[in-house]
PDB file of all heavy atoms in Angstrom:
ATOM      1  N   ALA A  14      17.632   2.273  16.110  1.00  0.00           N
ATOM      2  CA  ALA A  14      17.787   0.872  15.708  1.00  0.00           C
ATOM      3  C   ALA A  14      17.141   0.642  14.343  1.00  0.00           C
ATOM      4  O   ALA A  14      16.129   1.258  14.015  1.00  0.00           O
ATOM      5  CB  ALA A  14      17.145  -0.048  16.738  1.00  0.00           C
ATOM      6  N   TYR A  16      15.878  -2.642  11.949  1.00  0.00           N
ATOM      7  CA  TYR A  16      15.648  -4.079  11.852  1.00  0.00           C
ATOM      8  C   TYR A  16      15.348  -4.424  10.395  1.00  0.00           C
ATOM      9  O   TYR A  16      14.475  -3.813   9.772  1.00  0.00           O
ATOM     10  CB  TYR A  16      14.477  -4.490  12.748  1.00  0.00           C
ATOM     11  CG  TYR A  16      14.812  -4.474  14.220  1.00  0.00           C
ATOM     12  CD1 TYR A  16      14.791  -3.285  14.943  1.00  0.00           C
ATOM     13  CD2 TYR A  16      15.166  -5.638  14.894  1.00  0.00           C
ATOM     14  CE1 TYR A  16      15.110  -3.255  16.292  1.00  0.00           C
ATOM     15  CE2 TYR A  16      15.484  -5.625  16.243  1.00  0.00           C
ATOM     16  CZ  TYR A  16      15.454  -4.423  16.931  1.00  0.00           C
ATOM     17  OH  TYR A  16      15.777  -4.391  18.267  1.00  0.00           O
ATOM     18  N   PRO A  20       8.834 -11.313   6.491  1.00  0.00           N
ATOM     19  CA  PRO A  20       7.831 -11.913   7.381  1.00  0.00           C
ATOM     20  C   PRO A  20       7.905 -13.437   7.360  1.00  0.00           C
ATOM     21  O   PRO A  20       8.263 -14.040   6.349  1.00  0.00           O
ATOM     22  CB  PRO A  20       6.503 -11.411   6.808  1.00  0.00           C
ATOM     23  CG  PRO A  20       6.793 -11.193   5.365  1.00  0.00           C
ATOM     24  CD  PRO A  20       8.207 -10.699   5.305  1.00  0.00           C
ATOM     25  N   ASN A  31      -5.198  -4.654  22.976  1.00  0.00           N
ATOM     26  CA  ASN A  31      -4.460  -3.434  23.314  1.00  0.00           C
ATOM     27  C   ASN A  31      -2.940  -3.612  23.227  1.00  0.00           C
ATOM     28  O   ASN A  31      -2.188  -3.118  24.061  1.00  0.00           O
ATOM     29  CB  ASN A  31      -4.850  -2.934  24.707  1.00  0.00           C
ATOM     30  CG  ASN A  31      -6.344  -2.664  24.821  1.00  0.00           C
ATOM     31  OD1 ASN A  31      -6.945  -2.085  23.910  1.00  0.00           O
ATOM     32  ND2 ASN A  31      -6.949  -3.098  25.913  1.00  0.00           N
ATOM     33  N   VAL A  70      -0.188   1.057  16.211  1.00  0.00           N
ATOM     34  CA  VAL A  70       1.108   1.060  15.537  1.00  0.00           C
ATOM     35  C   VAL A  70       1.524   2.523  15.418  1.00  0.00           C
ATOM     36  O   VAL A  70       0.859   3.309  14.735  1.00  0.00           O
ATOM     37  CB  VAL A  70       1.042   0.395  14.150  1.00  0.00           C
ATOM     38  CG1 VAL A  70       2.435   0.314  13.527  1.00  0.00           C
ATOM     39  CG2 VAL A  70       0.415  -0.996  14.247  1.00  0.00           C
ATOM     40  N   LEU A 109      -8.568   0.401  16.049  1.00  0.00           N
ATOM     41  CA  LEU A 109      -7.215   0.407  15.489  1.00  0.00           C
ATOM     42  C   LEU A 109      -6.664   1.831  15.431  1.00  0.00           C
ATOM     43  O   LEU A 109      -7.384   2.777  15.083  1.00  0.00           O
ATOM     44  CB  LEU A 109      -7.234  -0.183  14.078  1.00  0.00           C
ATOM     45  CG  LEU A 109      -5.949  -0.073  13.254  1.00  0.00           C
ATOM     46  CD1 LEU A 109      -4.866  -0.970  13.817  1.00  0.00           C
ATOM     47  CD2 LEU A 109      -6.232  -0.406  11.788  1.00  0.00           C
ATOM     48  N   GLU A 112      -0.473   5.706  13.508  1.00  0.00           N
ATOM     49  CA  GLU A 112      -0.192   7.144  13.515  1.00  0.00           C
ATOM     50  C   GLU A 112       1.296   7.422  13.732  1.00  0.00           C
ATOM     51  O   GLU A 112       2.055   6.578  14.216  1.00  0.00           O
ATOM     52  CB  GLU A 112      -1.015   7.836  14.609  1.00  0.00           C
ATOM     53  CG  GLU A 112      -0.681   7.392  16.021  1.00  0.00           C
ATOM     54  CD  GLU A 112      -1.542   8.058  17.082  1.00  0.00           C
ATOM     55  OE1 GLU A 112      -2.436   8.855  16.723  1.00  0.00           O
ATOM     56  OE2 GLU A 112      -1.327   7.765  18.275  1.00  0.00           O
ATOM     57  N   LEU A 114       4.030   7.934  11.755  1.00  0.00           N
ATOM     58  CA  LEU A 114       5.015   7.068  11.106  1.00  0.00           C
ATOM     59  C   LEU A 114       5.268   7.549   9.685  1.00  0.00           C
ATOM     60  O   LEU A 114       4.458   8.290   9.100  1.00  0.00           O
ATOM     61  CB  LEU A 114       4.522   5.618  11.068  1.00  0.00           C
ATOM     62  CG  LEU A 114       4.434   4.871  12.398  1.00  0.00           C
ATOM     63  CD1 LEU A 114       3.652   3.583  12.222  1.00  0.00           C
ATOM     64  CD2 LEU A 114       5.829   4.587  12.963  1.00  0.00           C
ATOM     65  N   PHE A 117       7.868   4.141   3.153  1.00  0.00           N
ATOM     66  CA  PHE A 117       8.572   4.395   1.908  1.00  0.00           C
ATOM     67  C   PHE A 117       8.557   3.167   1.005  1.00  0.00           C
ATOM     68  O   PHE A 117       8.804   2.041   1.450  1.00  0.00           O
ATOM     69  CB  PHE A 117      10.038   4.764   2.184  1.00  0.00           C
ATOM     70  CG  PHE A 117      10.216   5.962   3.076  1.00  0.00           C
ATOM     71  CD1 PHE A 117      10.500   5.796   4.419  1.00  0.00           C
ATOM     72  CD2 PHE A 117      10.097   7.240   2.573  1.00  0.00           C
ATOM     73  CE1 PHE A 117      10.669   6.896   5.248  1.00  0.00           C
ATOM     74  CE2 PHE A 117      10.259   8.353   3.396  1.00  0.00           C
ATOM     75  CZ  PHE A 117      10.545   8.175   4.739  1.00  0.00           C
ATOM     76  N   SER A 119       6.737   0.910  -0.823  1.00  0.00           N
ATOM     77  CA  SER A 119       6.147  -0.423  -0.674  1.00  0.00           C
ATOM     78  C   SER A 119       6.161  -1.167  -2.010  1.00  0.00           C
ATOM     79  O   SER A 119       5.982  -0.565  -3.066  1.00  0.00           O
ATOM     80  CB  SER A 119       4.704  -0.305  -0.176  1.00  0.00           C
ATOM     81  OG  SER A 119       4.112  -1.583  -0.054  1.00  0.00           O
ATOM     82  N   ARG A 151       9.309   3.513 -18.675  1.00  0.00           N
ATOM     83  CA  ARG A 151       9.823   3.912 -19.982  1.00  0.00           C
ATOM     84  C   ARG A 151      10.669   2.812 -20.611  1.00  0.00           C
ATOM     85  O   ARG A 151      10.579   2.550 -21.817  1.00  0.00           O
ATOM     86  CB  ARG A 151      10.645   5.195 -19.837  1.00  0.00           C
ATOM     87  CG  ARG A 151       9.791   6.434 -19.642  1.00  0.00           C
ATOM     88  CD  ARG A 151      10.624   7.650 -19.337  1.00  0.00           C
ATOM     89  NE  ARG A 151       9.798   8.849 -19.281  1.00  0.00           N
ATOM     90  CZ  ARG A 151      10.162   9.975 -18.687  1.00  0.00           C
ATOM     91  NH1 ARG A 151      11.343  10.049 -18.089  1.00  0.00           N
ATOM     92  NH2 ARG A 151       9.356  11.009 -18.680  1.00  0.00           N
ATOM     93  N   GLN A 157      11.535  -4.794 -26.546  1.00  0.00           N
ATOM     94  CA  GLN A 157      10.988  -5.525 -27.686  1.00  0.00           C
ATOM     95  C   GLN A 157       9.857  -6.470 -27.286  1.00  0.00           C
ATOM     96  O   GLN A 157       8.987  -6.767 -28.092  1.00  0.00           O
ATOM     97  CB  GLN A 157      12.114  -6.326 -28.354  1.00  0.00           C
ATOM     98  CG  GLN A 157      11.994  -6.390 -29.861  1.00  0.00           C
ATOM     99  CD  GLN A 157      13.223  -7.014 -30.481  1.00  0.00           C
ATOM    100  OE1 GLN A 157      13.920  -7.798 -29.862  1.00  0.00           O
ATOM    101  NE2 GLN A 157      13.495  -6.667 -31.717  1.00  0.00           N
ATOM    102  N   SER A 163       1.463 -12.589 -28.084  1.00  0.00           N
ATOM    103  CA  SER A 163       1.537 -13.679 -27.108  1.00  0.00           C
ATOM    104  C   SER A 163       0.181 -13.859 -26.454  1.00  0.00           C
ATOM    105  O   SER A 163      -0.592 -12.919 -26.306  1.00  0.00           O
ATOM    106  CB  SER A 163       2.598 -13.373 -26.056  1.00  0.00           C
ATOM    107  OG  SER A 163       2.556 -14.337 -25.021  1.00  0.00           O
ATOM    108  N   THR A 164      -0.097 -15.084 -26.053  1.00  0.00           N
ATOM    109  CA  THR A 164      -1.326 -15.361 -25.299  1.00  0.00           C
ATOM    110  C   THR A 164      -1.073 -15.331 -23.798  1.00  0.00           C
ATOM    111  O   THR A 164      -1.964 -15.620 -23.011  1.00  0.00           O
ATOM    112  CB  THR A 164      -1.888 -16.745 -25.693  1.00  0.00           C
ATOM    113  OG1 THR A 164      -0.886 -17.741 -25.418  1.00  0.00           O
ATOM    114  CG2 THR A 164      -2.265 -16.775 -27.161  1.00  0.00           C
ATOM    115  N   ALA A 173      -1.674  -3.827 -20.690  1.00  0.00           N
ATOM    116  CA  ALA A 173      -2.795  -2.983 -20.255  1.00  0.00           C
ATOM    117  C   ALA A 173      -2.330  -1.941 -19.253  1.00  0.00           C
ATOM    118  O   ALA A 173      -2.722  -0.767 -19.319  1.00  0.00           O
ATOM    119  CB  ALA A 173      -3.896  -3.857 -19.654  1.00  0.00           C
ATOM    120  N   TRP A 174      -1.471  -2.346 -18.319  1.00  0.00           N
ATOM    121  CA  TRP A 174      -0.948  -1.397 -17.344  1.00  0.00           C
ATOM    122  C   TRP A 174      -0.152  -0.298 -18.028  1.00  0.00           C
ATOM    123  O   TRP A 174      -0.280   0.890 -17.705  1.00  0.00           O
ATOM    124  CB  TRP A 174      -0.055  -2.124 -16.338  1.00  0.00           C
ATOM    125  CG  TRP A 174      -0.789  -2.786 -15.222  1.00  0.00           C
ATOM    126  CD1 TRP A 174      -0.843  -4.129 -14.952  1.00  0.00           C
ATOM    127  CD2 TRP A 174      -1.576  -2.157 -14.208  1.00  0.00           C
ATOM    128  NE1 TRP A 174      -1.616  -4.360 -13.847  1.00  0.00           N
ATOM    129  CE2 TRP A 174      -2.071  -3.179 -13.370  1.00  0.00           C
ATOM    130  CE3 TRP A 174      -1.912  -0.835 -13.938  1.00  0.00           C
ATOM    131  CZ2 TRP A 174      -2.880  -2.904 -12.282  1.00  0.00           C
ATOM    132  CZ3 TRP A 174      -2.723  -0.562 -12.852  1.00  0.00           C
ATOM    133  CH2 TRP A 174      -3.197  -1.590 -12.041  1.00  0.00           C
ATOM    134  N   ILE A 180      -1.415   6.872 -21.341  1.00  0.00           N
ATOM    135  CA  ILE A 180      -2.485   7.639 -21.959  1.00  0.00           C
ATOM    136  C   ILE A 180      -3.212   8.501 -20.950  1.00  0.00           C
ATOM    137  O   ILE A 180      -4.048   9.305 -21.306  1.00  0.00           O
ATOM    138  CB  ILE A 180      -3.517   6.720 -22.665  1.00  0.00           C
ATOM    139  CG1 ILE A 180      -4.299   5.887 -21.651  1.00  0.00           C
ATOM    140  CG2 ILE A 180      -2.852   5.874 -23.716  1.00  0.00           C
ATOM    141  CD1 ILE A 180      -5.437   5.089 -22.287  1.00  0.00           C
ATOM    142  N   ASP A 195      -5.474   2.224   1.772  1.00  0.00           N
ATOM    143  CA  ASP A 195      -6.714   1.586   1.319  1.00  0.00           C
ATOM    144  C   ASP A 195      -7.484   1.132   2.548  1.00  0.00           C
ATOM    145  O   ASP A 195      -6.937   0.398   3.388  1.00  0.00           O
ATOM    146  CB  ASP A 195      -6.415   0.374   0.425  1.00  0.00           C
ATOM    147  CG  ASP A 195      -6.022   0.785  -0.981  1.00  0.00           C
ATOM    148  OD1 ASP A 195      -5.339   1.810  -1.122  1.00  0.00           O
ATOM    149  OD2 ASP A 195      -6.388   0.073  -1.939  1.00  0.00           O
ATOM    150  N   GLY A 198     -14.508  -0.552   5.889  1.00  0.00           N
ATOM    151  CA  GLY A 198     -15.076  -0.819   7.206  1.00  0.00           C
ATOM    152  C   GLY A 198     -16.024   0.286   7.607  1.00  0.00           C
ATOM    153  O   GLY A 198     -16.698   0.885   6.764  1.00  0.00           O
ATOM    154  N   TRP A 211       2.142   9.064  -6.878  1.00  0.00           N
ATOM    155  CA  TRP A 211       1.593   9.029  -8.233  1.00  0.00           C
ATOM    156  C   TRP A 211       0.655   7.839  -8.418  1.00  0.00           C
ATOM    157  O   TRP A 211       0.677   7.116  -9.400  1.00  0.00           O
ATOM    158  CB  TRP A 211       2.673   9.028  -9.292  1.00  0.00           C
ATOM    159  CG  TRP A 211       2.336  10.000 -10.398  1.00  0.00           C
ATOM    160  CD1 TRP A 211       1.129  10.151 -11.019  1.00  0.00           C
ATOM    161  CD2 TRP A 211       3.194  10.962 -10.992  1.00  0.00           C
ATOM    162  NE1 TRP A 211       1.156  11.150 -11.951  1.00  0.00           N
ATOM    163  CE2 TRP A 211       2.443  11.666 -11.962  1.00  0.00           C
ATOM    164  CE3 TRP A 211       4.518  11.315 -10.811  1.00  0.00           C
ATOM    165  CZ2 TRP A 211       2.983  12.689 -12.748  1.00  0.00           C
ATOM    166  CZ3 TRP A 211       5.050  12.322 -11.588  1.00  0.00           C
ATOM    167  CH2 TRP A 211       4.281  12.995 -12.551  1.00  0.00           C
ATOM    168  N   VAL A 214      -4.090   7.946  -3.322  1.00  0.00           N
ATOM    169  CA  VAL A 214      -3.636   8.424  -2.019  1.00  0.00           C
ATOM    170  C   VAL A 214      -4.433   7.751  -0.913  1.00  0.00           C
ATOM    171  O   VAL A 214      -3.893   7.080  -0.042  1.00  0.00           O
ATOM    172  CB  VAL A 214      -3.761   9.957  -1.937  1.00  0.00           C
ATOM    173  CG1 VAL A 214      -3.441  10.455  -0.539  1.00  0.00           C
ATOM    174  CG2 VAL A 214      -2.833  10.608  -2.956  1.00  0.00           C
ATOM    175  N   ARG A 222     -19.426   5.691   6.954  1.00  0.00           N
ATOM    176  CA  ARG A 222     -18.948   6.647   7.950  1.00  0.00           C
ATOM    177  C   ARG A 222     -17.424   6.746   7.935  1.00  0.00           C
ATOM    178  O   ARG A 222     -16.736   6.384   8.885  1.00  0.00           O
ATOM    179  CB  ARG A 222     -19.469   6.297   9.352  1.00  0.00           C
ATOM    180  CG  ARG A 222     -20.990   6.368   9.463  1.00  0.00           C
ATOM    181  CD  ARG A 222     -21.465   6.231  10.901  1.00  0.00           C
ATOM    182  NE  ARG A 222     -21.121   4.955  11.494  1.00  0.00           N
ATOM    183  CZ  ARG A 222     -21.824   3.842  11.327  1.00  0.00           C
ATOM    184  NH1 ARG A 222     -22.921   3.846  10.568  1.00  0.00           N
ATOM    185  NH2 ARG A 222     -21.449   2.723  11.925  1.00  0.00           N
ATOM    186  N   PHE A 224     -14.316   9.519   7.337  1.00  0.00           N
ATOM    187  CA  PHE A 224     -14.006  10.942   7.370  1.00  0.00           C
ATOM    188  C   PHE A 224     -12.527  11.112   7.078  1.00  0.00           C
ATOM    189  O   PHE A 224     -11.681  10.585   7.810  1.00  0.00           O
ATOM    190  CB  PHE A 224     -14.341  11.522   8.748  1.00  0.00           C
ATOM    191  CG  PHE A 224     -14.182  13.020   8.837  1.00  0.00           C
ATOM    192  CD1 PHE A 224     -14.595  13.849   7.809  1.00  0.00           C
ATOM    193  CD2 PHE A 224     -13.616  13.597   9.967  1.00  0.00           C
ATOM    194  CE1 PHE A 224     -14.454  15.229   7.893  1.00  0.00           C
ATOM    195  CE2 PHE A 224     -13.466  14.974  10.067  1.00  0.00           C
ATOM    196  CZ  PHE A 224     -13.893  15.790   9.029  1.00  0.00           C
ATOM    197  N   PRO A 232       3.249  14.538  -6.119  1.00  0.00           N
ATOM    198  CA  PRO A 232       2.804  13.847  -7.329  1.00  0.00           C
ATOM    199  C   PRO A 232       2.012  12.597  -6.965  1.00  0.00           C
ATOM    200  O   PRO A 232       2.557  11.606  -6.506  1.00  0.00           O
ATOM    201  CB  PRO A 232       4.119  13.502  -8.038  1.00  0.00           C
ATOM    202  CG  PRO A 232       5.094  14.492  -7.501  1.00  0.00           C
ATOM    203  CD  PRO A 232       4.697  14.700  -6.078  1.00  0.00           C
ATOM    204  N   ARG A 254     -12.266  16.386   3.077  1.00  0.00           N
ATOM    205  CA  ARG A 254     -12.105  17.834   3.081  1.00  0.00           C
ATOM    206  C   ARG A 254     -10.644  18.204   3.351  1.00  0.00           C
ATOM    207  O   ARG A 254      -9.852  17.390   3.828  1.00  0.00           O
ATOM    208  CB  ARG A 254     -13.026  18.482   4.106  1.00  0.00           C
ATOM    209  CG  ARG A 254     -12.627  18.286   5.548  1.00  0.00           C
ATOM    210  CD  ARG A 254     -13.628  18.956   6.477  1.00  0.00           C
ATOM    211  NE  ARG A 254     -13.164  18.935   7.857  1.00  0.00           N
ATOM    212  CZ  ARG A 254     -13.894  19.326   8.900  1.00  0.00           C
ATOM    213  NH1 ARG A 254     -15.132  19.760   8.706  1.00  0.00           N
ATOM    214  NH2 ARG A 254     -13.395  19.286  10.116  1.00  0.00           N
TER     215      ARG A 254
END
Side-chain angles (χ1 to χ4, degrees):
Y16 287 81
N31 302 317
V70 185
L109 171 70
E112 63 182 2
L114 291 168
F117 302 100
S119 179
R151 285 173 175 161
Q157 216 172 26
S163 173
T164 59
W174 277 116
I180 68 173
D195 282 37
W211 225 315
V214 174
R222 297 189 298 277
F224 186 41
R254 73 181 188 187

